[in-house]
Structure formats: C-alpha cells, structure tokens
Amino acid sequence: MNNSDGRINPRQLGTPRGGSYTAVPTSGDRKNRNKPTRGRKKSIFEAYMAKEDASAGLKRGELIQGPLRINPKKYHEAFIPSPDGTRDIFIDGVVARNRALNGDIVVVKLLPREQWKVIKPDGSDKETEATHESDVPEDMLGSCVPQETAKGDAQSPDVIIEAQYDDDDAEHGQDHLQDMLADDIKKLSLDTSEKAKAGGIGGVHSTKQDDGPKVNDPRLLPDKFLQRTAKVVYILEKKHSRAATGFIKLLADKNSELFKRCAMFSPVDHRVPRAYVSLADCPPDFMTRPEDYSNMLFICRIVDWKEDSNFATGQLAKSLGQAGEIEPETEGILMEYGVDFSDFSPEALECLPQSLPWVISPGELAKRRDLRKECIFTIDPSTAKDLDDALSCKQLPDGNFEVGVHIADVSYFVLEETALDKVASERATSVYLVQKVIPMLPKLLCEELCSLNPMRDRLTFSVMWKMTPEGKILDEWFGRTVICSCVKLSYDHAQSMIENPGKVFSPEELPPVSPQHSIAEIHQAVLNLHRIAQHLRKQRFIDGALRLDQLKLSFTLDRESGMPQGCYIYQYRDSNKLVEEFMLLANMAVAHQIYRSFPEQALLRRHPPPQTKLLKDLMEFCNQVGLDIDFSSAGTLHKSLSETFGADKYSEARKEVLTNMFSRPMQMAVYFCTGVLENEALFRHYALNVPFYTHFTSPIRRYADVIVHRLLSASLGASSPIKMEKEAIQRQADHCNDRKMASKRVQELSADLFFAIFVRECGPLESEAMVMGVLNEAFDVLVLKFGVQKRIYCNALPLLGFHFQKVGKKPELTLMWEPEKLEEESVPQVITIFTLVEVVLTSDGVPLKYSALLKRP
C-alpha cells in the first residue's frame, strides 16, 4: 500500500519532507525502514515498557522523565528538559519519539554516546534546542467583549478591544502576546547552519569555523560539544488533548482495501500524526466530491496509534467550517487545547441562587464589616464585564490613608465539593479570546452576582491597610465585607484623572456616579492611590523586581461582521500601574497570611529563576554584540535594561528586541502547595523578588484564587478549614498550571488568527522593523508597529547574492540588491543585530499565512 499522500494541502507546503508524517528514518532509526512486508506487519515503533519497569528505571536513575516539546517548524525534532538544567535532551525522529505528542510527560532512555549529537562550539548549530513554545511567562488577558462606543463620533472604530490588566503581568516580569516566531528564533539566533531554502539565490558563504572539533565521533569528544539523545520508552501522562484540526482527503491508492473504508486526516499542526478516519464519519458526498472539502476544517481525535503503523487511528469529531474564517478557526483552537466551552450543566446551575433578584440576607450582613457607605470604585478595561476587584482610599485625620482592596467573594457562592465547584476546578481559568470570553463560572455569577457592578450591594473579601503617603504600611486588616461600588471607571477615565489633577470633571465625561459620592471625592481618591502606587512601584524596583514588558496587540472589530478593522499596540499607562501595585500588595499580604495559618496547605505561586543554560547563552550573546548587561539578579537585569537605552525611537526599538530576548530564558511562574515542597527557598518569586506570593485578586476567572479565598476565610475563623489534603491541593495546583499554559497559548493563537485576517483584509502593511537575530540565509525581525516577529528569507528577495560572515563573534549578512536600472551598481545592505529595516507584510493566499518582505534600501 502506498502510504505517501499525493495531494498536500497548501497549508502544509514548506513543512519538512513535504508535510507527510511518515516515520522518516533518522540517524537513530535506520533499521526501521518501513518496508511493506507480507503477513504480519513489521513494527515501526518499539512497544512501551511496562509501567512497573518504567517506575523502577526512574527510581534507579536509569531513565529520565519530563515534558516533551516538539519543534513546531521541524516536527522530527523533539526535546525534553535535562533534569540538571543543562542542555536539553534531544529526541531525534518520529520513531524515537514513539507516538508521544507535544506536552506529554514521557519517560526516555538515553542512547549510547556514539549516537549523541555533535554540536559546533561557536554557536553555529543552534537548532539543537527548540525554544519553548510559550515559555515566556504569562501575559495580559485581553478582556474582549464588544462594547458600545461614543455615538456620533464618526472616527471612532466600532469596538475597541482593550487588554485587561492581569496581576500575572507584573509578576513576571512580563506581558507577552505575540509569540509568532519565538519558537523558531532558536536560542539567540546565532545559527549559521540552516541550509538555503530550495531554489533561492545561492549565497556566497564565508563561514570559517576554525574553532570547532575536527572529529565527528561523539566518543572522542568532550561533553561540551555533545547533546545527549534519547528515545521514548513510556508515556507517563498524556497531557496533549489528542484533538487536532485539519483536512480530510481520499487515500492515494485507489485499489487498496483501505481506500473503501478510510480517509486520511491531515492535521494543520505537523506535530500531530496523520490519521486514518472512517469514511462513515465523513460527509456523505465526500467520496464522490472530495474537492468540495479541500478547505473545510475538521476536528479529529487521535484514538489509537499502533506500533506497526506510520499513521494513527482517528475519529472525526465534527466539521468546523471553512479554513481561514474566525469562528471555525477559533473553535478548532479551543478544541485542540482542551478548553471546555460547553454550556454549564443543569446540576452546576442548580448551585446558583434560584430566587432572583438575589439580595444579601440580614444574617449574612451581620457577619460582615459594612463598607457600603465608603467611596469604593472599580477600574477596568472599558469592555470588561467580570469586575473582580475594587479600590478605596480614605484620608485619615493624621495625614495617613486607609487603602482598601476589595475582591468579589466568589467562595460564598461556589461551595467546596458541589457540582459547580467541580466544573470550575476543571476549567480552572476563564479564557480570553480576542472576540469573546470562555468563562470559568456561569454568566449569572461572573457578570452579575459576583461582579462588583456600580450601585449594587456586593459581598467581598477585603484587605485594608493604614499607610503613609509614601506607601509605608502601618497596619493591616483582612476580612469579609459588603460594599457598594460608586462608579465603574475604565482605565481611560482613571488615566484622564491622573493626567488632569486640577480639572473639574462634568458628569457627562464619566459613567454614572452614585449620588452618595461626589466626582471630586472619587477624583481625589484616584490621585491619592496614584501617588502611593508610584512610591510602592519605585520601592519594588529598588528592592530588586524585574519587569519585561512585551508589545501587546489589541484589535478594533467591526460591530456587524466581527472582523478586525484595525490593530494597535496596547498602551500600558499609569492607571494600569496603579491597579497593578495594589493587586500585588494584596496578593503578597494574603500569601503571608495563609502560609502563617496553614503551613502545610497554603496554595502559593512561585517563580523559579531563569534556566541556567539559556541564560548562559544569552550572556554570551550580549558579550558578543557588546552589550553590558548585569545578569546577577532580577533587579540588576531590570536596571541594565532601563539604563542601556536612550529615549529616542531607535533606543525604544532596541529595548523591545532585548526584552524579547530576555524573556526566553525565563521560566513560567507556577502554583504549588507549600506542604509538598520541603525547601522554603524554592517558594521565592524571581521576577517580583519576594519570598511569598499567591493569587487572590481574580476569583471570578481563576480557580486558584477561589482556593486561596477558602484558605483565607478559614485562617480568619470565618469558615471551617478547607477539606482538601495537601496532595489534593498540589494536584489541583498542577491542573491550574496546565490550564493556565493552555489558556495563554489559546490567547496567543487567537491574536495570531485575528492578525493574519487583518493582514489579509487590510494588507499589505508597511512598518519599521528591527533585526533580532541573523542566520546564514535568513534573519528575524520584530515588526515594531504590530509587535509580531517574522523571519525574512534571503532567497525571497530580488538579490544578486548575499554573504554571511562573523565580525568578531557578531553574525552579519550582506545583501546585494539587484539594481533598479541596468546601468546602476548593485546596492549592498548590511544586516546585523539591531539594524532598522522597512518591511511589508503581505498575505500568502493560503489561509492565515502571511510573509514579511524587506523593502529595498
């Protein structure tokens, strides 16, 4: 039977080996050529080890476990992190990967030393580590619900989509959305070994490598020139959802037995295998009119993958619609990443208050501190509907302030071990797409009963401080409260108040304000909070915090069609910083409180320091390009970043490029249970540079915060201790980490989708771009207007030739442009790190693909 599939979908062009996922023999798998054999088919893959043997091998240290990362651009390369933090372990080829999928926790066995991979020491072969798909710590969550804009303003776009402040930003040091090429900017782009893409203009290469080992036998080389290789022997946990979007085609061999029973499913993501699907699951007229379905996206679940087959067995779940359209593509993304977007079950909805309108009972009021008369308000993106947090700031007679952070009391409505609690714990987070939100809790809670809407009595959990005007904490109080917010401000309103301290705002300039409070009182409170926040922020950075702000894309959508009309880089301003400072403060305060009370059960959030190996590479790279960066701690890194640059546009761009690079060695922050981690030093949060941190301020959209609320409540004696044992809390923490990663990736893919459609609908788009990395026949740029990263290939440009060299250790490409007129000389253009260039983004005519081309100098 012919396994190769003749017609390849255009979306697959350019993938390695023609996009077909046959097990390609690599150095380690020569023996397993897939010969058609008579009788029993020969195995292609090794049978998995027995579970007991895998456990025993791990205990004895003969086997290694870790999460599998498959390079999205070269799916035959995969990696698992080395337990000792050194260079990743390389898994070469589909056979060695043994049917594991991206993200799975696998057990591997190292191959003998003679099969290890030789690495050239000058950094010329940087393909040896695929960068982590989105290991750049987490990012903004765009709360993106269309909202009315000012009437009668002809210029205003229909819907402004604004990024929502997320207290994860700060904590990392970063907000990061456009990860378009991060997975491919292999390490710090010092690659000089990528071979020319076929059919281009030959480059004149002068890559002299004098310092490399002259031998290629791994047994004779020292370890620093080698990368360990391994094969997968067992899958501990199938983390990958086993769902993929893709296309269906008839099998190539019309005479085979299979042709009458099966079709071939080709996933868009080449890290997933092609799969046989039953024709019975395909549309009825697919056999007779297959061409009608060439652009139709389907969802397929991988149900099996036998040892003797190149292809998995799949089950078609549903057809989504045409490729390249917003809704089918979005649904595909959600299903691939296992996001539950189904309606809430009747059992879960029965846990909600049934008699509406809901009112706070006198008995509940009696248990709480009544803050309804206080001047309390919310500051959120203009489109937000789930208002988790409110702020207050009252000047005291002694010149100090009483500052309050008031968070929706979700745990009052979501009780432990109920059907609603179960669904929320499984979803673990709301997922913010460009055009909508997939909520963690039913609408009645997120948009009504828990949302701190103006002029409504709401149950809250508050942290209140007595503070000096400089932000020094004199006293702290935690407790259950009831509030009535007096106004729903947007970041724009708050920003306007900060920028115009002396202005008298008229009621028309603001949303409706409660008659209990004057606009002047609210304005004053915002100004006081802003001043205190500036002190707090300044002090945090003096104390050694790090922030890496990456460009973040926002979209304006057409109200009727939902299509992107415009896109812009989201401005992070003082009003965002104000909210951020008090959320961080509240999260830190609660972390100390619950850890003091429940040292074995506290759910905290830690941020490990950067990966040593990647950090070393980055330091070496900075040396090579002559940048003086102090990598000794988060604080010194932040200081170097802030000081290395002037204020002109060029400096700003350089800062963006470096911020991007510094994000790469950073690890993800993770939830954990304190009773499971022995060493308290490991609790630290690297970017915030604090010993204890948690998430308390967003319980409507993060389940971790709900557990933290329960712990806080128990620590105050307001409720009985939490029922979960430390092991169960750790399992839930792991699940929250997994869902957080998935939702972050889904958000990025949603923005990628909208941006690709924007390029298709509104392109070609021109922008300045800055070079981030130079390879020997291509270079990577950061497109400054949109914050996206793209690779530009020399052979796609009208060049007479190009020439790669290293100047000192700095890689440099010289492009020789064809003259515009015959008699003119060829124009040389030198491309090196931080070169500013002009690029044009154009749609490729294939759904959701676009390229960057360099404009002639």
Side-chain angles (χ1 to χ4, degrees):
M1 185 195 109
N2 176 9
N3 271 338
S4 75
D5 202 339
R7 285 172 305 120
I8 290 165
N9 186 281
R11 285 175 77 139
Q12 297 191 324
L13 293 180
T15 56
R17 310 202 163 97
S20 120
Y21 198 106
T22 23
V24 178
T26 55
S27 53
D29 7 304
R30 295 273 175 247
K31 332 181 256 318
N32 289 321
R33 285 245 186 240
N34 187 19
K35 299 189 199 71
T37 45
R38 289 273 160 260
R40 193 189 154 279
K41 283 170 77 182
K42 224 168 125 190
S43 278
I44 293 165
F45 299 105
E46 266 185 38
Y48 294 128
M49 230 176 216
K51 187 176 181 180
E52 304 69 64
D53 297 346
S55 300
L58 285 169
K59 279 206 181 77
R60 288 196 301 268
E62 292 160 11
L63 303 174
I64 296 171
Q65 78 174 66
L68 182 77
R69 291 197 329 276
I70 304 174
N71 182 348
K73 298 286 194 294
K74 298 189 172 175
Y75 65 73
H76 43 90
E77 300 184 345
F79 304 86
I80 72 161
S82 173
D84 58 8
T86 55
R87 186 180 280 124
D88 285 349
I89 296 165
F90 183 45
I91 296 160
D92 187 7
V94 175
V95 171
R97 192 160 78 231
N98 204 359
R99 297 163 287 162
L101 299 188
N102 194 54
D104 286 354
I105 308 296
V106 295
V107 177
V108 304
K109 181 178 176 31
L110 290 180
L111 295 174
R113 191 180 177 107
E114 58 267 23
Q115 290 179 36
W116 290 4
K117 185 167 177 187
V118 177
I119 288 174
K120 305 195 180 64
D122 65 341
S124 60
D125 184 10
K126 288 293 177 190
E127 294 292 338
T128 52
E129 327 251 317
T131 20
H132 294 228
E133 181 155 13
S134 40
D135 259 13
V136 235
E138 59 246 27
D139 46 0
M140 66 57 127
L141 290 169
S143 155
C144 305
V145 187
Q147 144 127 0
E148 300 291 320
T149 40
K151 290 283 170 283
D153 176 3
Q155 292 316 104
S156 79
D158 291 0
V159 186
I160 299 258
I161 300 285
E162 196 177 341
Q164 175 173 320
Y165 160 67
D166 183 10
D167 35 8
D168 317 341
D169 298 356
E171 22 157 337
H172 260 213
Q174 111 166 27
D175 347 307
H176 161 89
L177 186 65
Q178 291 301 351
D179 200 314
M180 298 211 172
L181 273 177
D183 15 51
D184 209 0
I185 302 184
K186 295 294 158 346
K187 286 301 242 339
L188 293 149
S189 319
L190 302 180
D191 183 329
T192 59
S193 69
E194 191 171 276
K195 296 297 162 267
K197 300 280 175 277
I201 301 149
V204 200
H205 294 294
S206 62
T207 40
K208 295 196 184 65
Q209 294 177 353
D210 318 322
D211 46 358
K214 299 292 180 279
V215 270
N216 263 346
D217 181 344
R219 286 166 301 191
L220 307 174
L221 286 170
D223 281 356
K224 67 172 184 176
F225 295 136
L226 297 179
Q227 179 170 30
R228 294 180 294 171
T229 55
K231 63 180 182 182
V232 172
V233 294
Y234 187 73
I235 301 178
L236 265 182
E237 198 181 343
K238 292 182 171 176
K239 290 269 194 193
H240 189 286
S241 68
R242 299 301 190 268
T245 53
F247 301 93
I248 54 173
K249 308 188 205 116
L250 294 174
L251 297 184
D253 182 358
K254 291 193 168 38
N255 305 317
S256 72
E257 217 5 70
L258 269 174
F259 184 82
K260 305 183 194 55
R261 296 201 322 265
C262 292
M264 179 60 76
F265 171 80
S266 287
V268 174
D269 179 351
H270 304 300
R271 296 172 295 183
V272 179
R274 294 196 298 170
Y276 291 125
V277 292
S278 163
L279 279 172
D281 293 340
C282 297
D285 59 346
F286 170 65
M287 273 302 270
T288 49
R289 305 183 56 90
E291 62 286 350
D292 289 3
Y293 294 92
S294 64
N295 198 41
M296 173 76 74
L297 275 181
F298 288 85
I299 276 276
C300 174
R301 295 199 179 280
I302 303 292
V303 288
D304 193 14
W305 193 352
K306 298 261 187 273
E307 287 155 32
D308 62 3
S309 175
N310 276 313
F311 303 110
T313 309
Q315 191 164 17
L316 279 191
K318 64 186 289 192
S319 81
L320 297 171
Q322 293 296 307
E325 287 180 15
I326 290 171
E327 284 314 309
E329 293 280 359
T330 298
E331 195 174 327
I333 293 167
L334 293 171
M335 291 186 77
E336 282 190 24
Y337 283 86
V339 175
D340 178 2
F341 54 94
S342 61
D343 293 336
F344 286 90
S345 69
E347 298 78 46
L349 296 172
E350 272 165 26
C351 302
L352 300 173
Q354 298 301 310
S355 60
L356 297 174
W358 171 82
V359 284
I360 301 171
S361 69
E364 188 56 40
L365 265 177
K367 295 181 196 163
R368 294 172 178 261
R369 181 166 164 183
D370 190 342
L371 302 175
R372 288 176 296 178
K373 300 254 186 303
E374 301 291 327
C375 175
I376 296 178
F377 46 86
T378 57
I379 303 176
D380 285 280
S382 56
T383 50
K385 290 184 180 170
D386 48 353
L387 314 180
D388 286 289
D389 52 277
L391 292 165
S392 60
C393 183
K394 185 164 75 176
Q395 184 142 23
L396 301 169
D398 61 5
N400 291 316
F401 292 93
E402 180 184 68
V403 173
V405 168
H406 314 277
I407 305 298
D409 187 358
V410 175
S411 61
Y412 173 85
F413 295 97
V414 182
L415 298 175
E416 242 189 303
E417 296 179 345
T418 56
L420 180 57
D421 186 43
K422 189 171 184 307
V423 178
S425 72
E426 282 162 5
R427 292 194 176 201
T429 177
S430 293
V431 179
Y432 290 80
L433 305 168
V434 171
Q435 78 278 34
K436 60 183 172 193
V437 181
I438 312 294
M440 176 178 87
L441 295 168
K443 209 170 182 158
L444 179 66
L445 288 186
C446 4
E447 297 184 10
E448 293 290 331
L449 307 186
C450 291
S451 187
L452 306 181
N453 298 335
M455 274 83 84
R456 290 273 179 271
D457 291 358
R458 289 291 178 254
L459 300 177
T460 43
F461 229 130
S462 300
V463 187
M464 298 177 80
W465 299 276
K466 183 176 173 183
M467 277 185 177
T468 67
E470 294 73 45
K472 187 167 178 293
I473 295 173
L474 306 172
D475 195 18
E476 179 173 73
W477 178 87
F478 301 92
R480 296 196 134 160
T481 49
V482 56
I483 68 163
C484 180
S485 164
C486 62
V487 64
K488 177 193 172 186
L489 297 175
S490 71
Y491 282 121
D492 290 332
H493 296 131
Q495 187 63 28
S496 182
M497 290 177 169
I498 291 167
E499 287 171 7
N500 305 287
K503 179 177 169 179
V504 178
F505 284 84
S506 68
E508 297 76 47
E509 295 174 86
L510 296 174
V513 174
S514 155
Q516 312 287 319
H517 299 281
S518 67
I519 291 177
E521 184 185 0
I522 296 163
H523 190 178
Q524 193 52 56
V526 169
L527 290 173
N528 292 338
L529 285 169
H530 169 60
R531 287 192 199 108
I532 296 170
Q534 282 183 307
H535 286 292
L536 289 171
R537 191 174 181 86
K538 189 172 162 198
Q539 193 56 49
R540 273 200 316 115
F541 290 117
I542 290 170
D543 292 344
L546 162 68
R547 186 172 181 106
L548 296 174
D549 275 317
Q550 288 191 303
L551 301 174
K552 199 152 62 184
L553 210 47
S554 293
F555 296 86
T556 48
L557 304 183
D558 179 281
R559 173 159 294 116
E560 294 303 309
S561 67
M563 293 290 271
Q565 282 180 322
C567 85
Y568 55 95
I569 284 179
Y570 182 68
Q571 293 296 312
Y572 184 79
R573 300 171 299 178
D574 285 342
S575 54
N576 303 77
K577 293 174 185 172
L578 177 163
V579 174
E580 175 179 66
E581 286 311 313
F582 292 106
M583 297 304 123
L584 288 171
L585 204 58
N587 285 332
M588 292 188 262
V590 170
H592 282 269
Q593 170 72 11
I594 62 174
Y595 181 52
R596 268 197 305 271
S597 310
F598 303 110
E600 289 291 298
Q601 284 176 298
L603 178 71
L604 300 185
R605 191 163 172 78
R606 63 192 182 90
H607 184 207
Q611 302 167 57
T612 345
K613 170 82 182 70
L614 293 178
L615 195 65
K616 272 208 339 245
D617 289 345
L618 183 56
M619 288 161 74
E620 195 184 316
F621 174 80
C622 286
N623 275 335
Q624 288 171 14
V625 297
L627 283 168
D628 187 19
I629 307 281
D630 182 347
F631 285 96
S632 49
S633 72
T636 57
L637 190 54
H638 184 89
K639 209 160 169 277
S640 309
L641 246 185
S642 315
E643 289 171 1
T644 309
F645 305 99
D648 60 284
K649 196 173 75 175
Y650 180 71
S651 308
E652 274 303 302
R654 281 181 40 150
K655 187 172 180 176
E656 289 305 336
V657 167
L658 270 175
T659 298
N660 242 298
M661 291 178 173
F662 289 172
S663 306
R664 279 184 224 140
M666 296 300 162
Q667 305 211 54
M668 297 291 285
V670 287
Y671 300 113
F672 71 103
C673 176
T674 51
V676 173
L677 211 55
E678 295 288 294
N679 181 358
E680 207 178 84
L682 295 175
F683 294 10
R684 279 200 81 78
H685 197 293
Y686 172 80
L688 291 175
N689 197 26
V690 294
F692 306 105
Y693 189 68
T694 193
H695 274 168
F696 157 76
T697 54
S698 294
I700 296 177
R701 60 187 179 81
R702 286 190 306 230
Y703 188 74
D705 303 49
V706 177
I707 295 181
V708 168
H709 276 231
R710 288 174 185 159
L711 288 162
L712 180 61
S713 174
S715 80
L716 302 170
S719 58
S720 49
I722 186 166
K723 294 173 185 164
M724 298 166 85
E725 299 288 320
K726 64 182 183 182
E727 291 75 19
I729 294 174
Q730 183 57 45
R731 278 197 300 278
Q732 183 63 52
D734 289 338
H735 180 65
C736 287
N737 293 330
D738 289 345
R739 294 322 303 158
K740 172 98 192 162
M741 288 263 290
S743 85
K744 171 182 189 305
R745 190 67 191 131
V746 163
Q747 241 165 278
E748 290 165 357
L749 291 168
S750 175
D752 291 357
L753 165 65
F754 273 78
F755 187 66
I757 290 173
F758 178 65
V759 176
R760 182 185 81 200
E761 299 296 315
C762 307
L765 308 172
E766 299 194 358
S767 170
E768 277 198 295
M770 186 168 262
V771 177
M772 310 180 62
V774 180
L775 312 172
N776 58 359
E777 291 167 4
F779 54 96
D780 293 319
V781 297
L782 180 66
V783 182
L784 298 170
K785 206 166 170 183
F786 307 111
V788 301
Q789 301 167 22
K790 274 311 231 185
R791 179 161 290 181
I792 296 178
Y793 295 96
C794 294
N795 61 20
L797 303 172
L799 303 177
L800 295 173
F802 54 87
H803 169 82
F804 176 87
Q805 59 178 354
K806 285 201 166 176
V807 181
K809 287 191 160 180
K810 197 171 167 182
E812 193 176 276
L813 262 177
T814 306
L815 312 180
M816 303 303 293
W817 287 84
E818 282 178 6
E820 294 190 66
K821 299 197 188 71
L822 277 174
E823 65 279 5
E824 288 179 2
E825 290 282 290
S826 162
V827 184
Q829 182 178 17
V830 176
I831 301 288
T832 182
I833 190 96
F834 302 132
T835 304
L836 260 176
V837 294
E838 292 276 331
V839 298
V840 183
L841 302 180
T842 51
S843 194
D844 287 355
V846 173
L848 308 185
K849 293 268 184 271
Y850 64 94
S851 310
L853 291 174
L854 193 59
K855 280 178 79 173
R856 180 183 282 282

